[in-house]
Amino acid sequence: MAARRVALSRAVSHALRHEPWLYEIEVDDEGWAPVGDLVEALRRDRRWRGLTATEVVEMMRSATKQRHEVLGDRIRALYGHSLPYRIAKTPGVPPDVLFHGTATEAVPTILSTGLQPMARQYVHLSADVATALAVGARKSEQVTVLVIDAAAARAGDVVFLRGNEQVWLAEHVPAPYLRVKESSDVARGERSW
Ligand code: HQG
């Protein structure tokens, strides 16, 4: 059951974040698509033949990460997009300090060129260290957490956009607002730059 939910979450994310055209669904510029269209499209795959909108909503509710959102008869991915057209996100005021977990080997480049969105539309930032560590662990066994001085970045014209409670987005975070998190930071408190 858990494995089916993970697979369904992946399929829904793939359709809404990356390649809706493969499913013949239309995702608008805020990321929304009709739930019915998505369910119908997925049902064409043998694995999802009996899929219902209720199962999709249950998958979302039981997920440890809030990846998707349903409003009325529409569904969208909250972050992670790589679509060729820009998904509009709502600007917001993030915590003064944010985190980004990444492969340690990428750190020298990131500290020189800043955080870039790479294959996605936005850079993804975490509100807490635990989330950042989990994000980085997807990339490498050697994970480094970067600390982002979000307060200074905002003052310096970086626009932060809301993903979900743990995820903040930005088009780019210049290097001067980044530093490597040291283990001694925990003793000093995670919230201080
Ligand atoms: C790195 C998952 C070299 C960056 C996660 C990251 C997240 C650079 C990788 C969400 C760089 C991109 C997004 C630079 C950034 N030079 N490398 N200048 N700037 N990078 O997967 O943040 O489970 O596109 O550090 O949990 O890892 O799918 O981004 O390692 O929330 O819901 O380039 O996806 O969510 O990798 O992950 P990604 P991410 P889900």
Side-chain angles (χ1 to χ4, degrees):
M1 199 57 201
R4 180 172 165 90
R5 284 190 174 152
V6 170
L8 179 58
S9 177
R10 288 222 173 97
V12 169
S13 288
H14 184 245
L16 297 175
R17 289 176 175 178
H18 306 300
E19 296 187 296
W21 48 88
L22 293 184
Y23 303 79
E24 294 173 27
I25 59 169
E26 281 196 31
V27 171
D28 73 15
D29 61 7
E30 290 184 329
W32 294 109
V35 186
D37 290 1
L38 175 66
V39 169
E40 197 183 310
L42 288 172
R43 285 172 74 144
R44 279 184 228 128
D45 180 332
R46 246 189 330 148
R47 174 151 202 196
W48 307 117
R49 195 177 282 157
L51 186 68
T52 60
T54 306
E55 187 178 349
V56 172
V57 171
E58 272 166 12
M59 172 278 287
M60 287 169 45
R61 291 220 176 103
S62 65
T64 49
K65 281 181 170 180
Q66 193 196 359
R67 295 184 171 93
H68 314 110
E69 173 182 34
V70 166
L71 194 64
D73 57 4
R74 299 180 304 163
I75 185 169
R76 68 176 171 180
L78 289 167
Y79 59 86
H81 300 88
S82 67
L83 297 168
Y85 51 94
R86 177 72 74 178
I87 296 295
K89 300 297 299 177
T90 312
V93 179
D96 285 353
V97 176
L98 290 168
F99 304 92
H100 177 88
T102 191
T104 299
E105 66 179 29
V107 170
T109 312
I110 294 174
L111 290 180
S112 117
T113 63
L115 279 168
Q116 305 285 352
M118 310 305 276
R120 300 187 201 259
Q121 294 190 354
Y122 299 104
V123 171
H124 288 59
L125 306 164
S126 305
D128 58 85
V129 175
T131 304
L133 280 169
V135 171
R138 294 159 42 254
K139 301 292 180 187
S140 171
E141 286 181 9
Q142 308 299 320
V143 177
T144 294
V145 172
L146 299 172
V147 185
I148 293 100
D149 187 347
R154 269 191 72 231
D157 285 345
V158 174
V159 176
F160 290 90
L161 306 150
R162 282 179 196 283
N164 65 20
E165 290 291 313
Q166 271 81 40
V167 179
W168 284 86
L169 310 170
E171 285 188 21
H172 170 227
V173 182
Y177 304 119
L178 306 173
R179 68 168 172 82
V180 171
K181 184 180 181 304
E182 309 293 343
S183 46
S184 58
D185 286 352
V186 177
R188 293 211 315 264
E190 286 169 9
R191 285 299 183 206
S192 62
W193 165 254

